Amino acid sequence: MDFKDLPQFRPAEIKTYHSNTYDRISPSTTKFDASGKTVLITAGATGIGYSISESFAKAGVARIIILQRRESVLATAKEALEKAYPNTKVETYSASQSDFQRMTEIIQSVGEIDVLIPCATYAGDMKPPTKDKKTEELAEVYMVNVVGLFHMVREFLALPATASGGPKSVIHVSSNASQMYFPGGSGYCSSKAAANQIITHFAFDEPNGNVKFYSLHPGAVWTALAEENVPQNAVVWEDINLPGDFAVWLAGPEATFLNGRFVWAAWDVDELIAMTEKVASDPNLLTITLAK
């Protein structure tokens, strides 16, 4: 399959597709109030996760908690962020998103979290055909991408209200793989679709509206995971700063109408805002569902 031929899956109302970050979602101008806020992000020390960590640091959050398995990359990220953004405290923990006991311990010890960003992902063996995949490996993919995500959010929701006030946010870093088939992708693609459904259910089951939930396709970004599975010339790669800045915008008040929805970092935010009434009137719009 030629990746250039894959569908774009954008709503008809979205005419503008951004490959680079832009002023409208700049952390320096966004309406997200970063004062006193704490952000916790898994896999936030490298790749897309680091870009998200940096964007929230640019926005001026008080504290960033980064979870990742490798101690070496955690130390490098902490040093770089604290040097560039001295007003933001960076704390790091070595942990896997699928280690439920460890995740519970960390979330409870952190105490106050305003924005939770599950970014860690596991693709497993991406070689076709599906019949040759091992059951144990598929289970491992789901343990990270679905069950680990569920556990993190559940523990996050059990925390008390934060001192900073205002609604909390969960920004699940998903993938457009949740919407498509590609060779070797049965575990990864299906787990991402399941994870999006988990986020939608959390959103629609949260009665008081004090927590907003989003699934975010970060874009086609050249990362270590992409390098392992996609030829570099297969697609036009996008700016790694785009998903980070878009995530800050999602955490702000302009995005609340998108609660429970799946959005792309490349979609223009003003064209999204113009869809507010349509989104409010259709609970299935921008979710994993059959196209109308």
Side-chain angles (χ1 to χ4, degrees):
M1 175 181 290
D2 187 342
F3 281 81
K4 296 176 182 177
D5 295 333
L6 291 173
Q8 293 301 310
F9 297 109
R10 77 181 75 175
E13 292 87 348
I14 305 295
K15 308 298 182 184
T16 306
Y17 188 100
H18 296 276
S19 295
N20 296 284
T21 191
Y22 52 106
D23 289 344
R24 184 67 175 78
I25 60 171
S26 170
S28 63
T29 60
T30 183
K31 295 182 180 180
F32 169 67
D33 181 7
S35 178
K37 295 291 197 302
T38 294
V39 177
L40 186 148
I41 176 170
T42 60
T46 57
I48 291 169
Y50 182 81
S51 82
I52 296 173
S53 296
E54 185 170 34
S55 289
F56 276 97
K58 288 178 183 176
V61 296
R63 197 168 53 142
I64 296 176
I65 316 296
I66 301 176
L67 280 59
Q68 196 136 338
R69 289 179 299 172
R70 290 177 291 161
E71 291 276 9
S72 58
V73 299
L74 285 168
T76 300
K78 176 179 170 67
E79 181 180 4
L81 288 169
E82 290 189 331
K83 181 178 180 180
Y85 310 98
N87 293 326
T88 296
K89 182 180 180 181
V90 180
E91 300 174 21
T92 62
Y93 295 87
S94 177
S96 168
Q97 189 166 290
S98 60
D99 185 340
F100 306 144
Q101 181 176 346
R102 175 72 169 148
M103 296 304 297
T104 297
E105 291 170 352
I106 292 171
I107 290 172
Q108 289 180 352
S109 68
V110 169
E112 288 195 358
I113 304 170
D114 297 279
V115 184
L116 176 72
I117 306 175
C119 185
T121 191
Y122 179 61
D125 181 3
M126 298 282 276
K127 296 177 183 177
T130 299
K131 68 181 180 64
D132 290 344
K133 292 186 181 297
K134 295 180 179 179
T135 300
E136 295 78 9
E137 185 162 325
L138 186 70
E140 187 175 359
V141 171
Y142 270 72
M143 286 297 283
V144 175
N145 298 350
V146 182
V147 186
L149 167 73
F150 168 81
H151 181 78
M152 278 192 69
V153 176
R154 192 174 72 90
E155 294 300 298
F156 167 71
L157 293 176
L159 293 175
T162 58
S164 60
K168 299 180 180 182
S169 300
V170 175
I171 301 173
H172 159 233
V173 180
S174 184
S175 171
N176 65 333
S178 64
Q179 300 173 289
M180 66 176 64
Y181 156 83
F182 60 77
S186 58
Y188 180 69
C189 295
S190 64
S191 70
K192 286 299 185 181
N196 287 359
Q197 277 280 2
I198 289 285
I199 291 298
T200 295
H201 280 76
F202 269 123
F204 291 169
D205 290 346
E206 186 68 18
N208 57 23
N210 289 336
V211 184
K212 304 300 180 184
F213 300 82
Y214 313 96
S215 286
L216 172 64
H217 168 45
V221 179
W222 185 247
T223 62
L225 180 62
E227 188 174 3
E228 289 176 5
N229 297 290
V230 182
Q232 189 168 7
N233 62 355
V235 298
V236 177
W237 300 100
E238 292 158 358
D239 177 13
I240 198 169
N241 296 306
L242 179 61
D245 291 356
F246 192 93
V248 175
W249 178 81
L250 269 183
E254 289 187 305
T256 57
F257 75 100
L258 293 168
N259 182 37
R261 312 306 170 115
F262 173 51
V263 296
W264 289 33
W267 294 346
D268 184 79
V269 297
D270 287 316
E271 292 178 20
L272 269 172
I273 290 171
M275 295 174 61
T276 299
E277 291 185 7
K278 186 173 182 179
V279 171
S281 66
D282 186 351
N284 292 315
L285 185 62
L286 303 182
T287 65
I288 299 298
T289 186
L290 292 174
K292 294 182 177 180

